[in-house]
PDB file of all heavy atoms in Angstrom:
ATOM      1  N   GLY A 232     -19.678 -15.393   1.455  1.00 95.00           N
ATOM      2  CA  GLY A 232     -20.433 -15.382   0.167  1.00 95.00           C
ATOM      3  C   GLY A 232     -19.556 -15.549  -1.077  1.00 95.00           C
ATOM      4  O   GLY A 232     -18.269 -15.469  -0.951  1.00 95.00           O
ATOM      5  N   THR A 233     -20.155 -15.816  -2.239  1.00 93.00           N
ATOM      6  CA  THR A 233     -19.364 -15.871  -3.449  1.00 93.00           C
ATOM      7  C   THR A 233     -19.203 -14.649  -4.111  1.00 93.00           C
ATOM      8  O   THR A 233     -18.111 -14.228  -4.635  1.00 93.00           O
ATOM      9  CB  THR A 233     -20.000 -16.959  -4.308  1.00 93.00           C
ATOM     10  OG1 THR A 233     -20.167 -18.191  -3.611  1.00 93.00           O
ATOM     11  CG2 THR A 233     -19.112 -17.313  -5.565  1.00 93.00           C
ATOM     12  N   LYS A 234     -20.396 -13.978  -4.324  1.00 92.00           N
ATOM     13  CA  LYS A 234     -20.402 -12.759  -5.016  1.00 92.00           C
ATOM     14  C   LYS A 234     -21.039 -11.584  -4.122  1.00 92.00           C
ATOM     15  O   LYS A 234     -22.006 -11.851  -3.471  1.00 92.00           O
ATOM     16  CB  LYS A 234     -21.246 -12.825  -6.351  1.00 92.00           C
ATOM     17  CG  LYS A 234     -20.852 -13.889  -7.249  1.00 92.00           C
ATOM     18  CD  LYS A 234     -21.966 -14.178  -8.244  1.00 92.00           C
ATOM     19  CE  LYS A 234     -23.190 -14.659  -7.565  1.00 92.00           C
ATOM     20  NZ  LYS A 234     -24.219 -15.269  -8.461  1.00 92.00           N
ATOM     21  N   GLY A 235     -20.478 -10.413  -4.087  1.00 93.00           N
ATOM     22  CA  GLY A 235     -21.088  -9.288  -3.461  1.00 93.00           C
ATOM     23  C   GLY A 235     -20.677  -9.167  -1.897  1.00 93.00           C
ATOM     24  O   GLY A 235     -21.082  -8.258  -1.271  1.00 93.00           O
ATOM     25  N   LYS A 236     -19.799 -10.071  -1.442  1.00 96.00           N
ATOM     26  CA  LYS A 236     -19.542  -9.978   0.001  1.00 96.00           C
ATOM     27  C   LYS A 236     -18.556  -8.735   0.256  1.00 96.00           C
ATOM     28  O   LYS A 236     -18.725  -8.008   1.315  1.00 96.00           O
ATOM     29  CB  LYS A 236     -18.736 -11.236   0.547  1.00 96.00           C
ATOM     30  CG  LYS A 236     -17.429 -11.605  -0.094  1.00 96.00           C
ATOM     31  CD  LYS A 236     -16.892 -12.888   0.466  1.00 96.00           C
ATOM     32  CE  LYS A 236     -15.616 -13.285  -0.062  1.00 96.00           C
ATOM     33  NZ  LYS A 236     -15.666 -13.793  -1.461  1.00 96.00           N
ATOM     34  N   GLY A 237     -17.737  -8.368  -0.710  1.00 95.00           N
ATOM     35  CA  GLY A 237     -16.874  -7.214  -0.492  1.00 95.00           C
ATOM     36  C   GLY A 237     -17.745  -5.958  -0.640  1.00 95.00           C
ATOM     37  O   GLY A 237     -17.599  -5.071   0.222  1.00 95.00           O
ATOM     38  N   SER A 238     -18.721  -5.929  -1.477  1.00 96.00           N
ATOM     39  CA  SER A 238     -19.699  -4.831  -1.663  1.00 96.00           C
ATOM     40  C   SER A 238     -20.461  -4.566  -0.481  1.00 96.00           C
ATOM     41  O   SER A 238     -20.746  -3.530   0.045  1.00 96.00           O
ATOM     42  CB  SER A 238     -20.535  -4.879  -2.932  1.00 96.00           C
ATOM     43  OG  SER A 238     -19.752  -4.979  -4.060  1.00 96.00           O
ATOM     44  N   THR A 239     -20.951  -5.739   0.105  1.00 98.00           N
ATOM     45  CA  THR A 239     -21.720  -5.766   1.325  1.00 98.00           C
ATOM     46  C   THR A 239     -20.949  -5.152   2.468  1.00 98.00           C
ATOM     47  O   THR A 239     -21.301  -4.385   3.263  1.00 98.00           O
ATOM     48  CB  THR A 239     -22.324  -7.129   1.653  1.00 98.00           C
ATOM     49  OG1 THR A 239     -22.978  -7.586   0.603  1.00 98.00           O
ATOM     50  CG2 THR A 239     -23.119  -7.115   2.943  1.00 98.00           C
ATOM     51  N   CYS A 240     -19.637  -5.607   2.587  1.00 98.00           N
ATOM     52  CA  CYS A 240     -18.800  -4.930   3.617  1.00 98.00           C
ATOM     53  C   CYS A 240     -18.498  -3.491   3.439  1.00 98.00           C
ATOM     54  O   CYS A 240     -18.587  -2.747   4.461  1.00 98.00           O
ATOM     55  CB  CYS A 240     -17.386  -5.669   3.498  1.00 98.00           C
ATOM     56  SG  CYS A 240     -17.315  -7.335   4.106  1.00 98.00           S
ATOM     57  N   ALA A 241     -18.346  -3.088   2.187  1.00 98.00           N
ATOM     58  CA  ALA A 241     -18.311  -1.668   1.957  1.00 98.00           C
ATOM     59  C   ALA A 241     -19.506  -0.824   2.366  1.00 98.00           C
ATOM     60  O   ALA A 241     -19.442   0.283   2.954  1.00 98.00           O
ATOM     61  CB  ALA A 241     -17.895  -1.450   0.496  1.00 98.00           C
ATOM     62  N   PHE A 242     -20.638  -1.342   2.045  1.00 98.00           N
ATOM     63  CA  PHE A 242     -21.942  -0.704   2.356  1.00 98.00           C
ATOM     64  C   PHE A 242     -22.002  -0.593   3.980  1.00 98.00           C
ATOM     65  O   PHE A 242     -22.444   0.455   4.440  1.00 98.00           O
ATOM     66  CB  PHE A 242     -23.192  -1.447   1.868  1.00 98.00           C
ATOM     67  CG  PHE A 242     -23.423  -1.197   0.364  1.00 98.00           C
ATOM     68  CD1 PHE A 242     -23.642  -2.074  -0.503  1.00 98.00           C
ATOM     69  CD2 PHE A 242     -23.626   0.203  -0.021  1.00 98.00           C
ATOM     70  CE1 PHE A 242     -23.919  -1.813  -1.900  1.00 98.00           C
ATOM     71  CE2 PHE A 242     -23.927   0.559  -1.392  1.00 98.00           C
ATOM     72  CZ  PHE A 242     -24.043  -0.501  -2.138  1.00 98.00           C
TER      73      PHE A 242
END
Side-chain angles (χ1 to χ4, degrees):
T233 306
K234 305 166 297 191
K236 61 182 183 291
S238 299
T239 303
C240 287
F242 278 127

